[in-house]
Structures are given as structure tokens and as C-alpha cells.
Amino acid sequence: MNQPLPFGAGHTGRPAPSDLTEIMGKVARGDKQAFSALYDALAPMVFGIVLRVVRDRAQSEEVAQEVMIDLWRQAARYRSDSGSVTAWAATIAHRRAVDRVRSAQAAIDREHAQAVRDHRTAYDDVAEQVETRLESEQVRRCLRGLTELQRQAVTLAYYQGLTYREVAETLRTPLPTIKTRMRDGLIRLRDCMGVTT
């Protein structure tokens, strides 16, 4: 097979439509010389169609090559009663170019969606950490507003998981006093934190 011409460098004397139909018949039978002639006749037109749709020269050259390979592979499907070889090639070129644009757009959309998900996740993590830190600071501030016995009893019960009885034993304070101090302390914490019941 002859070396194909670069895109955009076609022959000045193009074959007549009837000649292209005959050439296409030979291509369908696997004639490489006929495909070379077909390539020379159609590649510039195919590239022009693809470039108008894709708008990127490098990608257009790639898509145009794919179209020419399609013409080689699908030559047996061509029917002259359905239109000219040029129209058939133009249709394939346009479809391939549109597919490339859609594929590229879908990839961009997927990347954008992933970036949005990543950004949202990072934002949510930061917001959650800030919220937790603010709540912790508020709890510490509210705990400082309790009496010493209330603060100790609440800390032992809620941060160390001790029962009322264990808190009373740890602080060497009567159980009823611990229950009263904890109840009063929790009411003050609730009010300080702005929790409504």
C-alpha cells in the first residue's frame, strides 16, 4: 500500500463518483491499491468534517484515521443505491467525530463530578471537625461554671463511665448528695449549652 498523504494534502484531480464506486468495490474485495486510491481521494474531506466537529487538530487527525480504517473494514457494507461513496464516508466521519466529542465531554463531566464529590467531602470533614471543636470548647466553658463537686461528679460519670454509687465512693460523698449535685450540674450544663427539652 502506498504511504498515505498527510491530512489536508489531497490530490487536485479527484476520481469521479462512478470511479469511487468502482474503487470501493475493489476495497471491499481487499484490494490495498484501491484503498490507497480511496484514502487519497477521501482523507482530506474526512479530516475537514472531523476538524469542524472536534476542533482539535491532533484529535481530529486521530479520528480521521479511525474513519479511514472503518471505510476499509466496512467497505463490503457500502451500497451504491443508498448514496455516493463520498456521502457514505462523510456520514461515518461525522458520526465518529460526534462520538469523540461526546466521549470527551462525558470524561470531563465525570472528572468534574468527582472533583465536586471530593471537594464536598473535604468541606464536610472540615466543617464537622470545626463543629466538634466548638462544641468541646463550649462544654469545657460550661463545666467551668459548675461547682467543684458538680464538675467532678459529672466528669467521673460521663467521661469515665462511673455509676452514681462509684462516683460517691470515689469522691467520698454520700450518694444522695452526689445525685443532687449531678442533677443540678446537668441542669446548669443544659442551660449553658442552650439545649431545650
Side-chain angles (χ1 to χ4, degrees):
M1 181 162 62
N2 294 339
Q3 184 67 18
L5 290 172
F7 286 112
H11 293 301
T12 53
R14 288 194 177 165
S18 60
D19 293 339
L20 280 178
T21 302
E22 184 181 325
I23 290 170
M24 184 58 84
K26 291 179 181 179
V27 171
R29 291 187 295 278
D31 185 329
K32 293 180 180 177
Q33 291 296 88
F35 179 69
S36 181
L38 185 73
Y39 188 101
D40 291 344
L42 297 180
M45 177 206 65
V46 165
F47 177 70
I49 291 169
V50 172
L51 184 61
R52 278 193 298 277
V53 175
V54 176
R55 295 191 174 139
D56 176 86
R57 187 167 187 84
Q59 283 194 42
S60 296
E61 287 176 359
E62 187 179 308
V63 172
Q65 288 292 349
E66 292 170 3
V67 170
M68 296 310 296
I69 291 169
D70 279 352
L71 293 177
W72 168 259
R73 290 180 179 159
Q74 297 180 32
R77 291 184 178 176
Y78 171 70
R79 300 286 174 258
S80 58
D81 56 346
S82 297
S84 70
V85 172
T86 306
W88 187 61
T91 301
I92 292 172
H94 187 264
R95 285 182 186 156
R96 274 285 192 153
V98 168
D99 287 347
R100 175 62 64 96
V101 170
R102 286 180 179 156
S103 175
Q105 187 60 49
I108 289 168
D109 292 346
R110 280 191 304 274
E111 289 173 12
H112 177 72
Q114 184 61 44
V116 167
R117 281 192 299 273
D118 290 347
H119 177 71
R120 189 176 301 134
T121 299
Y123 171 79
D124 289 347
D125 287 348
V126 170
E128 194 173 300
Q129 289 174 7
V130 168
E131 190 175 320
T132 301
R133 184 171 294 137
L134 289 174
E135 287 174 358
S136 296
E137 288 174 12
Q138 186 177 11
V139 168
R140 281 193 292 276
R141 182 177 49 79
C142 290
L143 279 172
R144 284 192 299 268
L146 302 179
T147 67
E148 185 63 28
L149 185 58
Q150 287 172 336
R151 184 171 41 256
Q152 288 175 337
V154 168
T155 302
L156 289 170
Y158 288 94
Y159 292 105
Q160 294 184 20
L162 300 182
T163 64
Y164 285 135
R165 186 169 304 285
E166 291 169 333
V167 171
E169 291 171 3
T170 302
L171 296 177
R172 293 188 176 102
T173 306
L175 182 59
T177 304
I178 290 298
K179 287 183 177 181
T180 302
R181 296 298 180 264
M182 283 187 63
R183 186 195 70 228
D184 293 346
L186 290 173
I187 290 170
R188 288 178 70 180
L189 277 175
R190 182 194 66 201
D191 293 345
C192 179
M193 298 286 294
V195 176
T196 58
T197 57

